[in-house]
Amino acid sequence: MTQDAVFGPFFATVFLTVLVWVYMYIRRIGFITSQKIRPQDLAAPGTVVHIWPPGVSNPSDNLKNLFEIPVLFYVLVLYLFITKQVDAIYVNAAWVFVGFRALHSIVHCTFNLIMLRFYLYLFATLAVWFIAIRAAFIYFSV
């Protein structure tokens, strides 16, 4: 296994973030246009919370989520690459993370079934904790 194999899931997560960002703006602009909302009506902080329906606010919330646990994922990937510890176990766990995060984003941005979304988030996050704990055990055992 080459060390750069871990960048597949790394860039897949980046691409997921880009897709959610684009989808968020498609939903926002569509809503603003259909409701004939003036941009200045959205200028005051907190006003959009009362205006956006869930179909518009959920993609924004999901984008915020993609800057929480995934940040730890990015840091761990870089750590593993720099320390030359990338192996098949880490790469597979990274793809598990990406898969469940992608499913989480799909659910959150569309029909938003809360318990399904929770379990998808949980499994994705467990993959990151697995990577972190395994890397820490290896680091502290040296």
Side-chain angles (χ1 to χ4, degrees):
M1 166 112 0
T2 63
Q3 292 299 300
D4 62 354
V6 77
F7 287 117
F10 179 96
F11 285 114
T13 307
V14 171
F15 185 62
L16 172 63
T17 305
V18 170
L19 286 175
V20 170
W21 179 80
V22 168
Y23 184 69
M24 176 192 71
Y25 276 104
I26 289 169
R27 299 294 298 177
R28 281 184 176 183
I29 292 168
F31 181 77
I32 290 168
T33 304
S34 71
Q35 300 298 309
K36 297 180 172 60
I37 298 171
R38 297 175 311 145
Q40 27 311 21
D41 294 339
L42 304 173
T47 57
V48 295
V49 174
H50 305 293
I51 296 172
W52 302 137
V56 176
S57 64
N58 287 349
S60 177
D61 293 341
N62 187 257
L63 183 65
K64 292 173 193 167
N65 291 164
L66 289 168
F67 288 94
E68 295 171 353
I69 295 296
V71 172
L72 296 174
F73 172 73
Y74 295 132
V75 169
L76 288 165
V77 165
L78 293 173
Y79 169 78
L80 295 171
F81 179 77
I82 290 167
T83 60
K84 299 182 183 351
Q85 294 183 53
V86 175
D87 63 14
I89 294 170
Y90 283 128
V91 172
N92 288 329
W95 280 116
V96 166
F97 170 73
V98 172
F100 281 106
R101 279 312 300 217
L103 292 170
H104 174 270
S105 290
I106 290 167
V107 170
H108 198 178
C109 291
T110 58
F111 57 92
N112 199 26
L113 185 62
I114 301 299
M115 286 312 295
L116 175 59
R117 196 178 100 205
F118 167 75
Y119 285 116
L120 295 169
Y121 175 87
L122 175 66
F123 294 137
T125 305
L126 288 174
V128 170
W129 295 142
F130 169 78
I131 293 169
I133 291 166
R134 183 173 183 242
F137 274 127
I138 292 169
Y139 173 80
F140 287 113
S141 69
V142 173

